[in-house]
Amino acid sequence: MGRVKIEIKKITNKNYLKATYSKRRKGLCGKATDLSRLTGCQIAIIVFSPGSRLFLFGHPSAETVIDRFLAQQAPCTDNDHEDESFESIHGVDDREDLENNQEEYKQEEDEMKDAKVNFWWDELVGEQLELHELIQYKTLLNKLRENVARKLQDMNRRELCTIDFFWKEHIHRC
Amino acid sequence: MGRVKIEIKKITNKNYLKATYSKRRKGLCGKATDLSRLTGCQIAIIVFSPGSRLFLFGHPSAETVIDRFLAQQAPCTDNDHEDESFESIHGVDDREDLENNQEEYKQEEDEMKDAKVNFWWDELVGEQLELHELIQYKTLLNKLRENVARKLQDMNRRELCTIDFFWKEHIHRC
DNA sequence: GCATCTATGTATAAGCG
DNA sequence: TCGCTTATACATAGATG
């Protein structure tokens, strides 16, 4: 959409590339704003420029929409199922045995250091923490998420795709 | 850009709204594809429709770009600083005192149940876990992130904006 | 709802300051 | 790196199947 038709392929001239990047990124955000205003949808756009600079855009804000997306990604988030899913991680699938012997359960709980994690964050978020403390937690949390995500990427790609499909088959895509 | 000029405000007619949503969302993705191909940038677009349906688009994939964004969000992710930031969470700011008395440090460490979390996930990600276990962890992790994000949102908005600015002043925005 | 058509408003390529 | 200009390609409003 200009004086001449251009081919949609990687621009080699650096100055030209930067100009096009700025112009079209701006145009993209304008389109996103229009779409949001016309339909009332929420949009987030994340761009990493050729020089790896991060650019964010969103309505109501990029972070709001990204958080909403992340919250939705968990396939099982009801409180009713949290304990269950956590136990299955640690191989504590036989719940009846534990319920029949509270003493043994407590002992086993003490032996499983990892099991405390589940309660750790439940208590954490329930407490009245200072803002900077929450932000520090968020930092650790993002780091952990990154590590787990890397671990997942390292694993068998086909297997991962299957799971991904199961997870996300309800998501529309272009 | 059509037969008549339209005002950019919320469309009330439902059928018309859906049609416009589909057309313009498609157009937006086309623009994003062009931008990515022309400049080599990475893009993710997250949209929640008026009916709260999730739509994802991205190059190379929405998830790839979102993960890259999340990984970058942690202001302090080197291993060298993890212990430091973690201690500051728990108010253990006076490090010299602890270094002068290893015994006391160990004792205090034992008393801080929360402190184990830091080591928990370090060990976790280092181990050879099954895919489904990782996915379960990811589930818990997303839930935790959601809780912390909600907590942050509940807090004083002005204070939060200040912190956000400090965190993200390097991010370009429209 | 989705594809197609056509007229028309918009985004933008190239150029200049 | 910006902003502005202009000619032109493109996106899309409305209509139809």
Side-chain angles (χ1 to χ4, degrees):
Chain A
M1 6 181 169
R3 298 209 173 196
V4 295
K5 177 173 183 152
I6 61 161
E7 220 184 325
I8 304 298
K9 65 174 184 186
K10 183 72 184 284
I11 299 168
T12 51
N13 181 298
K14 274 201 169 184
N15 289 332
Y16 184 27
L17 191 150
K18 281 185 182 179
T20 298
Y21 174 69
S22 291
K23 279 188 179 180
R24 280 180 175 263
R25 197 194 57 200
K26 199 167 154 186
L28 190 72
C29 292
K31 289 284 185 191
T33 302
D34 289 348
L35 177 57
S36 177
R37 290 199 180 133
L38 285 167
T39 68
C41 68
Q42 293 192 333
I43 304 187
I45 298 180
I46 308 169
V47 188
F48 284 97
S49 77
S52 293
R53 285 183 67 106
L54 172 61
F55 173 87
L56 286 183
F57 173 86
H59 276 279
S61 82
E63 284 85 351
T64 304
V65 183
I66 292 166
D67 281 347
R68 187 176 172 189
F69 163 73
L70 291 173
Q72 178 170 328
Q73 282 315 95
C76 172
T77 54
D78 333 58
N79 285 322
D80 295 341
H81 297 97
E82 272 168 16
D83 287 338
E84 198 178 322
S85 62
F86 183 73
E87 280 169 3
S88 71
I89 292 174
H90 294 276
V92 188
D93 294 320
D94 202 348
R95 200 168 191 170
E96 287 181 309
D97 273 7
L98 296 172
E99 283 172 349
N100 291 337
N101 193 335
Q102 286 288 326
E103 202 70 43
E104 188 180 347
Y105 179 63
K106 192 165 182 17
Q107 190 176 354
E108 184 153 2
E109 191 185 30
D110 289 338
E111 285 167 5
M112 293 193 305
K113 292 177 185 176
D114 292 349
K116 282 174 183 164
V117 174
N118 197 36
F119 305 107
W120 160 72
W121 63 263
D122 270 344
E123 289 167 10
L124 162 69
V125 179
E127 287 169 9
Q128 275 301 106
L129 292 172
E130 295 298 324
L131 179 63
H132 72 277
E133 292 175 324
L134 272 173
I135 287 170
Q136 297 271 18
Y137 273 117
K138 196 175 171 191
T139 302
L140 286 174
L141 186 53
N142 280 334
K143 177 67 178 176
L144 172 54
R145 191 190 188 286
E146 183 188 354
N147 284 353
V148 174
R150 190 184 305 116
K151 192 80 185 178
L152 281 168
Q153 279 177 352
D154 290 344
M155 302 188 82
N156 184 282
R157 182 174 284 272
R158 209 174 57 178
E159 195 176 0
L160 195 57
C161 288
T162 308
I163 303 283
D164 263 353
F165 180 74
F166 174 75
W167 265 12
K168 296 158 187 174
E169 55 188 337
H170 62 291
I171 303 174
H172 290 262
R173 291 163 190 274
C174 266
Chain B
M1 9 181 165
R3 299 206 172 198
V4 294
K5 177 171 182 153
I6 60 161
E7 219 185 327
I8 303 298
K9 65 174 185 186
K10 182 73 183 282
I11 299 169
T12 50
N13 181 298
K14 275 202 169 184
N15 289 331
Y16 184 25
L17 190 150
K18 281 184 182 178
T20 299
Y21 174 70
S22 290
K23 279 187 179 181
R24 280 181 174 262
R25 198 195 56 200
K26 199 166 154 188
L28 190 73
C29 292
K31 290 283 186 192
T33 302
D34 289 348
L35 178 57
S36 177
R37 290 201 180 132
L38 286 166
T39 68
C41 68
Q42 292 192 335
I43 303 186
I45 298 179
I46 307 169
V47 188
F48 284 97
S49 77
S52 295
R53 284 184 69 105
L54 172 60
F55 175 86
L56 286 183
F57 174 85
H59 275 279
S61 81
E63 284 85 352
T64 304
V65 183
I66 292 166
D67 281 347
R68 187 177 171 189
F69 163 74
L70 291 172
Q72 178 172 325
Q73 282 316 93
C76 172
T77 54
D78 332 62
N79 285 323
D80 296 339
H81 298 98
E82 274 169 14
D83 287 340
E84 198 178 323
S85 63
F86 184 73
E87 281 168 4
S88 71
I89 291 173
H90 294 274
V92 188
D93 294 320
D94 200 349
R95 199 167 194 170
E96 285 182 310
D97 274 4
L98 295 174
E99 281 171 353
N100 290 338
N101 194 334
Q102 286 288 326
E103 203 68 44
E104 189 181 347
Y105 179 65
K106 193 161 181 17
Q107 191 175 356
E108 185 151 4
E109 192 184 28
D110 287 341
E111 284 167 7
M112 292 192 306
K113 292 177 186 175
D114 291 350
K116 283 172 183 165
V117 174
N118 198 33
F119 304 107
W120 160 71
W121 62 262
D122 271 344
E123 289 166 10
L124 161 68
V125 179
E127 286 168 9
Q128 275 302 108
L129 292 172
E130 294 299 322
L131 179 63
H132 73 276
E133 291 175 327
L134 273 173
I135 288 170
Q136 297 270 19
Y137 273 118
K138 198 177 171 190
T139 301
L140 286 173
L141 185 54
N142 281 332
K143 178 69 178 174
L144 173 53
R145 192 188 188 288
E146 181 188 357
N147 284 351
V148 174
R150 189 184 306 115
K151 190 82 184 177
L152 281 167
Q153 279 178 352
D154 290 344
M155 303 189 81
N156 184 282
R157 183 174 284 273
R158 210 174 57 179
E159 194 176 1
L160 194 59
C161 288
T162 310
I163 303 281
D164 262 353
F165 180 74
F166 173 75
W167 265 13
K168 296 158 187 174
E169 56 188 337
H170 64 289
I171 303 174
H172 292 262
R173 289 163 192 273
C174 263

